[in-house]
Amino acid sequence: MTDTPDTADDADTTGEVEARLAELGLTLPPVAAPVAAYVPAVVDGNLVHTSGQLPFQGGQLPATGKVGATVDLEDATELAGLCAVNALAAVKSVIGDLDRIEQIVKVVGFVSSDPSFTGQPQVVNGASELFGRVFGDAGAHARSAVGVAVLPLDAPVEVEITVRFR
């Protein structure tokens, strides 16, 4: 069963989580418009599941292509962090206040990889480490890091998350 909580009263709430993001030089962007037939996030009980988030910045992908070919490991890791910020924006869109997050439960990262590239875990660390810096112990999560042949719009990385909230 899917339900959507009333977030109208606190949709513009900023709190401790967003303050920690700001300390890192990050701000939540508007939720990226879906590129197909889906919604950015769904609430199920006390969990939020996001759709895969691409590393949009200002409505554009800062890089395209395969990691290990046209995108290097360092850039891909930064892009995974950007995906994580976009995922948090999707979470906020359905729960209103990121301070309601109790735990980052699961992170799934997809890395568009050159066939010889095997550093997918290091790329997805860009998202995992961001969650650790922002949420501390509540940012520890289960995770998958998967190499794929191609991602939508030729993005180098995509991240989806599941969070538990109160």
Side-chain angles (χ1 to χ4, degrees):
M1 178 175 144
T2 301
D3 58 281
T4 304
D6 180 12
T7 58
D9 291 337
D10 52 7
D12 293 324
T13 301
T14 58
E16 291 180 24
V17 170
E18 289 187 62
R20 284 192 292 276
L21 285 168
E23 289 170 7
L24 297 171
L26 301 168
T27 57
L28 287 182
V31 177
V35 297
Y38 60 90
V39 295
V42 172
V43 174
D44 182 18
N46 67 338
L47 297 175
V48 176
H49 303 274
T50 71
S51 297
Q53 299 295 310
L54 300 179
F56 284 114
Q57 189 170 45
Q60 302 292 319
L61 290 173
T64 57
K66 296 193 182 316
V67 181
T70 58
V71 179
D72 68 26
L73 175 64
E74 181 178 296
D75 289 341
T77 303
E78 289 179 22
L79 292 170
L82 187 54
C83 292
V85 171
N86 290 340
L88 290 174
V91 170
K92 183 177 179 179
S93 76
V94 295
I95 67 170
D97 183 353
L98 295 179
D99 289 352
R100 296 178 64 194
I101 294 174
E102 294 179 332
Q103 185 73 47
I104 305 294
V105 176
K106 177 91 186 239
V107 173
V108 180
F110 302 96
V111 181
S112 180
S113 302
D114 181 81
S116 65
F117 182 74
T118 59
Q120 292 82 6
Q122 291 84 0
V123 171
V124 181
N125 279 349
S128 294
E129 291 171 0
L130 176 77
F131 291 134
R133 288 192 301 273
V134 173
F135 292 98
D137 290 344
H141 52 269
R143 188 182 89 177
S144 299
V146 182
V148 298
V150 68
L151 288 167
L153 307 177
D154 200 25
V157 63
E158 178 176 343
V159 172
E160 65 182 54
I161 65 174
T162 300
V163 304
R164 185 178 68 243
F165 71 98
R166 61 180 183 283

